Short mmCIF file of all heavy atoms in Angstrom, two decimals:
data_model
loop_
_atom_site.label_atom_id
_atom_site.label_comp_id
_atom_site.label_asym_id
_atom_site.label_seq_id
_atom_site.Cartn_x
_atom_site.Cartn_y
_atom_site.Cartn_z
N SER A 153 -28.39 45.25 22.29
CA SER A 153 -29.68 44.75 22.77
C SER A 153 -30.77 45.78 22.55
O SER A 153 -30.52 46.98 22.45
CB SER A 153 -29.58 44.39 24.26
OG SER A 153 -29.19 45.53 25.02
N SER A 167 -49.00 43.71 26.48
CA SER A 167 -48.14 44.44 25.54
C SER A 167 -46.70 43.93 25.59
O SER A 167 -45.99 43.94 24.59
CB SER A 167 -48.19 45.94 25.84
OG SER A 167 -47.90 46.21 27.18
N GLY A 181 -47.88 32.81 23.90
CA GLY A 181 -49.14 32.17 24.25
C GLY A 181 -49.99 33.05 25.13
O GLY A 181 -49.61 34.17 25.50
N PHE A 235 -67.29 60.58 43.66
CA PHE A 235 -66.31 59.70 43.01
C PHE A 235 -66.03 60.16 41.58
O PHE A 235 -64.89 60.10 41.10
CB PHE A 235 -66.84 58.27 43.01
CG PHE A 235 -65.86 57.24 42.57
CD1 PHE A 235 -64.96 56.67 43.46
CD2 PHE A 235 -65.82 56.82 41.25
CE1 PHE A 235 -64.04 55.72 43.05
CE2 PHE A 235 -64.90 55.87 40.82
CZ PHE A 235 -64.01 55.32 41.74
N GLY A 333 -51.92 77.45 34.98
CA GLY A 333 -51.54 78.74 34.43
C GLY A 333 -52.60 79.35 33.54
O GLY A 333 -52.44 80.50 33.08
N PRO A 341 -72.35 89.69 27.52
CA PRO A 341 -72.89 89.90 26.15
C PRO A 341 -72.62 91.33 25.69
O PRO A 341 -72.66 92.27 26.48
CB PRO A 341 -74.38 89.62 26.32
CG PRO A 341 -74.46 88.75 27.54
CD PRO A 341 -73.36 89.17 28.43
#
Side-chain angles (χ1 to χ4, degrees):
S153 59
S167 53
F235 189 86

